[in-house]
Amino acid sequence: MKALQYREIGAAPEVVTVPDPEPGPGQVLLKVTAAGACHSDIAVMSWPAEGFPYALPLTLGHEGVGTVAALGAGVTGVAEGDAVAVYGPWGCGTCLNCAAGKENYCLRATELGIHPPGLGAPGSMAEYVLVDDPRHLAPLNGLDPVAAAPLTDAGLTPYHAIKPSLPKLVPGATAVVIGVGGLGHIAVQILRALTTARVIALDVNEDKLTLARTVGAHDTVLSDERAATKVRDLTDGRGAQAVFDFVGAQPTVETAGAVASVEADITIVGIGGGSLAVGFGLLPFEASVTAPYWGSRSEFHEVLELARAGAISVHTETYTLDEAPLAYERLHDGQINGRAVIVPNN
Ligand code: NAD
Ligand code: ZN
Ligand code: ZN
């Protein structure tokens, strides 16, 4: 089969032919219908050889949707032909956190060498992908595969980030979204669907600010050194009760801190390497800062339901597998509006 692989540190990913995978006991083979391209892959492909966490070559794609093509021995609960989405942050399935559905925070994944597909295990940017266990699958139940693929990460990650802050997003409150790309444009919609808060979106790119308004942001602000002052003005000086940073670079985490209100939640989702100092007097009183990772299995099902209810819709650009390197180039250059989705079997 054809697969998009990151093969050599620092090189661009390449479409290559690899052996067709076969499901072992307990595994499910999917024929991939759609696979989203996440900015985290750009980060992975920028890391140096020293300390690189995955074996190469690595088949990319941690946002996957497919049709069940074959079942390994002993698999029950799914049948050939089922259209399914893949929960990516695989865990051991049995530790305390996995038992609560929080496989994204599995206590034993590192020790057992368990990796998400596309981030260690072979991913979905291929004609076929192996899924280690049917519990990682949710039925699409009518969702369009291309629109559903980004929900598995670009939808799930903001959903998980926003949910703990819902009690603070009461009527009259403000939420700030920094970075309106794949994750951010879904975050705006989740905030609009689940809260009555005013949503202010920040980006460096006018097209992204237009997308933010299209998907429901009340206000948009160019993300520069004056952004925090503008957000403070828009909120009568109070600031935002919840700030979600989908960039995570030094200037954006500083903006996140500067727009926060007292008792605000500041959630840094982007992996841009910035850090925000926490200490008495450094941030508004009782502000909390957190940096979450992906989401839980139950939240995965919830975010798919949110899409089925029509409350969120992903803006997508589709690419064939042969065009996948171009999709990553465009993502790297900030030219993707919404999410680039690879359709490997077209
Ligand atoms: P993306 O490229 O689709 O979107 C990033 C957006 O940020 C773009 O619209 C870009 O114009 C904007 N941006 C860049 N610099 C900015 C600045 N200084 N101020 C405001 N906006 C700026 O990326 P994505 O796939 O949505 O991923 C967003 C981030 O989240 C990445 O860092 C990614 O690695 C990370 N991520 C984290 C998790 C997690 O679990 N924590 C999961 C998925 C992705
Ligand atoms: Zn991702
Ligand atoms: Zn576990």
Side-chain angles (χ1 to χ4, degrees):
M1 67 167 185
K2 283 205 291 191
L4 179 77
Q5 291 195 326
Y6 181 52
R7 299 178 60 81
E8 201 189 314
I9 298 291
E14 274 178 77
V15 179
V16 294
T17 300
V18 299
D20 286 349
E22 280 179 30
Q27 291 184 318
V28 180
L29 182 71
L30 302 184
K31 185 169 185 178
V32 178
T33 46
C38 178
H39 209 112
S40 296
D41 295 332
I42 304 281
V44 166
M45 291 188 278
S46 78
W47 291 339
E50 202 186 316
F52 191 83
Y54 314 129
L56 293 183
L58 169 67
T59 299
L60 295 170
H62 57 269
E63 291 185 341
V65 161
T67 308
V68 175
L71 304 179
V75 173
T76 55
V78 287
E80 265 182 54
D82 284 359
V84 291
V86 182
Y87 173 75
W90 297 350
C92 72
T94 52
C95 73
L96 199 65
N97 287 348
C98 285
K102 296 189 273 189
E103 299 209 24
N104 51 326
Y105 299 146
C106 175
L107 300 170
R108 300 193 63 206
T110 306
E111 164 201 345
L112 297 173
I114 300 170
H115 291 287
L119 294 167
S124 293
M125 289 198 183
E127 291 172 74
Y128 292 89
V129 65
L130 274 179
V131 175
D132 271 357
D133 191 292
R135 77 174 186 279
H136 301 314
L137 302 174
L140 285 192
N141 278 343
L143 288 175
D144 171 67
V146 169
L151 296 174
T152 63
D153 174 24
L156 175 57
T157 301
Y159 184 78
H160 174 77
I162 289 167
K163 220 179 155 183
S165 297
L166 292 179
K168 293 187 178 171
L169 293 172
V170 296
T174 297
V176 166
V177 171
I178 305 176
V180 194
L183 275 69
H185 92 287
I186 304 181
V188 168
Q189 297 178 65
I190 294 170
L191 287 162
R192 290 305 314 273
L194 301 183
T195 79
T196 52
R198 176 176 190 181
V199 178
I200 305 177
L202 275 59
D203 205 292
V204 287
N205 176 316
E206 284 295 344
D207 290 341
K208 314 293 175 96
L209 293 179
T210 302
L211 176 63
R213 289 189 293 271
T214 306
V215 297
H218 297 93
D219 298 286
T220 54
V221 173
L222 196 65
S223 180
D224 58 17
E225 61 290 347
R226 295 190 306 276
T229 308
K230 286 183 189 156
V231 172
R232 290 236 159 241
D233 288 347
L234 286 168
T235 56
D236 296 329
R238 283 171 70 199
Q241 285 66 39
V243 187
F244 304 96
D245 182 356
F246 296 102
V247 182
Q250 194 54 37
T252 61
V253 300
E254 284 173 13
T255 298
V259 300
S261 71
V262 289
E263 295 181 292
D265 287 343
I266 302 166
T267 305
I268 301 169
V269 177
I271 62 173
S275 60
L276 186 58
V278 177
F280 195 88
L282 297 177
L283 289 172
F285 294 130
E286 222 174 309
S288 341
V289 182
T290 183
Y293 170 64
W294 223 325
S296 72
R297 280 174 55 207
S298 53
E299 289 164 341
F300 172 60
H301 287 266
E302 288 164 29
V303 85
L304 294 176
E305 290 293 2
L306 203 56
R308 267 181 220 116
I312 47 176
S313 73
V314 186
H315 283 238
T316 56
E317 294 178 11
T318 54
Y319 294 82
T320 64
L321 194 52
D322 288 328
E323 293 166 340
L326 172 69
Y328 277 107
E329 245 180 80
R330 288 173 50 83
L331 182 61
H332 176 272
D333 295 342
Q335 289 169 1
I336 303 284
N337 226 3
R339 200 58 145 183
V341 176
I342 313 304
V343 184
N345 283 293
N346 260 20

